[in-house]
Amino acid sequence: MLRSLNRRFLANGCHCALWLATVFAMLSLSALPPSAQNQPLRVIAFGAHPDDCDQGAGGLAAKYAALGHKVKFVSITNGDAGHQSQHGEELANRRRAEAQEAGRRIGIEYEVLDNHDGKLLPNLEVREQVIREIRQWKADIVIAPRPNDYHPDHRYTGVLVQDASYMVIVPSLVADTPALARNPVFLYYSDRFTRPQPFRADIVVSIDDVFEKKIAMLDAHVSQFYEWLPWTVGQFEQVPKDPAERKKWLASTPMAARKLQPEWREALEKRYGPQAAARTQHAEAFEITEYGRQPTEEEIRMLFPFFSQTALHP
Ligand SMILES: [Zn+2]
């Protein structure tokens, strides 16, 4: 936008008042998020295991990637424990390869850190890994689980990102990686846990237009969605053997389907318009944490450049 403004001014002969107006416009825009300056947004999401980010924000990531924004998923553990017959390095290598493939399918980066699965602790070493990741990515948005969850790795991933959420702007800490100039907006994935308080849907994004992409992403995590998770709930024998059939089966499971929840409707319709809930099947919801930058409604609409598209896919 600025470039075209400049070109127009130059074409008309650069009048001093117009030049000043341009400078003021640049100054005011520099305080706005990157999307307002025609730069890609930078989003980083953390999960405990190499499929957690995908479940909570795979659709959102696919939407950002389709618009040319930059997304990175980071698994804080290498997933080397969650399987009924494989474990250790063999499993970690398999899960890392699956994560790479999942990221490739929707056009985002995917990194798997080498902390052991099932043994994650919110210690200083891992906190510093998280701070480096957020700083190196120059994140505008950071997504993580809430620290209330059945799995200790999920809980501690929430704690670790919470613990990093102010430190990313403190230059004397983790001094090998330049601190961010301003705190990102930190979000929680949705979850079903109610104590000490239930998840609050502040931002709800329809993912109907990218649902197939999200399922393609989840489908890359063969060891998780077709082997380990079904095994933990006694459904391993029910998973179809044929790759196309099992993908269809995956799309029908609640964990993959992410159906719009009744308590998400209000936030959805706030930004997509009245009756949007009736047209929306699949969605992802996020809560704004109190520990990062608190975005205004105007900034939310810049950070989530999806809401102006009022025509939802039926
Ligand atoms: Zn997990």
Side-chain angles (χ1 to χ4, degrees):
M1 184 176 77
L2 280 175
R3 249 182 247 134
S4 67
L5 267 177
N6 274 331
R7 246 182 266 126
R8 217 179 310 145
F9 289 158
L10 287 171
N12 293 339
C14 187
H15 189 277
C16 192
L18 287 178
W19 181 82
L20 275 175
T22 309
V23 170
F24 279 120
M26 287 179 78
L27 284 173
S28 60
L29 279 177
S30 68
L32 294 174
S35 66
Q37 303 178 59
N38 290 334
Q39 288 174 15
L41 291 161
R42 303 189 64 85
V43 180
I44 191 166
F46 291 90
H49 308 112
D51 65 289
D52 292 353
C53 300
D54 315 47
Q55 291 187 53
L60 178 71
K63 288 171 82 83
Y64 278 125
L67 293 177
H69 299 295
K70 304 295 180 195
V71 183
K72 182 175 186 179
F73 282 0
V74 179
S75 174
I76 294 189
T77 80
N78 59 15
D80 63 355
H83 199 272
Q84 64 273 40
S85 58
Q86 287 182 310
H87 62 273
E89 206 177 323
E90 179 191 26
L91 180 59
N93 289 339
R94 188 177 176 208
R95 299 211 62 193
R96 182 172 283 106
E98 289 172 349
Q100 294 298 328
E101 173 61 15
R104 191 194 64 75
R105 290 185 184 183
I106 66 162
I108 65 162
E109 282 198 32
Y110 210 132
E111 183 175 0
V112 177
L113 303 181
D114 224 3
N115 302 300
H116 289 298
D117 185 1
K119 298 179 179 179
L120 186 65
L121 288 173
N123 60 32
L124 195 54
E125 183 191 349
V126 189
R127 186 201 296 175
E128 292 186 349
Q129 292 174 358
V130 171
I131 291 172
R132 278 192 193 91
E133 289 286 344
I134 296 170
R135 288 180 176 179
Q136 285 166 355
W137 195 247
K138 298 182 171 60
D140 301 300
I141 297 174
V142 181
I143 314 176
R146 294 198 305 155
N148 318 309
D149 196 287
Y150 75 99
H151 196 305
D153 289 353
H154 297 175
R155 280 203 292 277
Y156 294 142
T157 296
V159 170
L160 284 157
V161 177
Q162 242 177 31
D163 288 353
S165 65
Y166 171 68
M167 299 310 178
V168 293
I169 63 165
V170 180
S172 59
L173 293 173
V174 197
D176 57 18
T177 310
L180 298 182
R182 65 175 190 162
N183 215 5
V185 172
F186 284 75
L187 305 174
Y188 295 128
Y189 304 108
S190 64
D191 63 58
R192 58 190 160 80
F193 301 100
T194 59
R195 295 184 183 181
Q197 70 276 320
F199 168 82
R200 183 191 67 216
D202 293 326
I203 294 166
V204 178
V205 177
S206 165
I207 59 163
D208 285 339
D209 56 339
V210 290
F211 186 64
E212 294 303 318
K213 277 191 192 175
K214 179 172 182 178
I215 296 302
M217 177 183 220
L218 299 182
D219 173 67
H221 294 282
V222 173
S223 65
Q224 185 74 354
F225 292 113
Y226 300 133
E227 297 174 11
W228 171 239
L229 287 178
W231 187 85
T232 62
V233 291
Q235 292 181 355
F236 181 59
E237 297 304 323
Q238 296 169 27
V239 179
K241 299 288 173 267
D242 175 67
E245 286 303 312
R246 75 182 180 186
K247 196 172 166 186
K248 246 188 257 172
W249 169 85
L250 174 64
S252 73
T253 62
M255 66 184 166
R258 290 266 158 175
K259 288 279 173 66
L260 179 72
Q261 301 298 303
E263 61 272 24
W264 299 357
R265 284 181 187 158
E266 190 182 333
L268 181 93
E269 296 193 341
K270 179 179 175 183
R271 301 195 178 91
Y272 284 95
Q275 311 303 320
R279 303 191 301 269
T280 304
Q281 286 189 56
H282 310 283
E284 289 170 355
F286 304 92
E287 177 175 336
I288 300 169
T289 85
E290 296 176 287
Y291 308 124
R293 193 171 75 254
Q294 300 299 292
T296 62
E297 182 62 28
E298 185 190 10
E299 190 180 0
I300 288 172
R301 288 171 188 272
M302 288 175 186
L303 291 171
F304 293 83
F306 318 115
F307 301 131
S308 56
Q309 301 161 10
T310 48
L312 288 181
H313 296 249

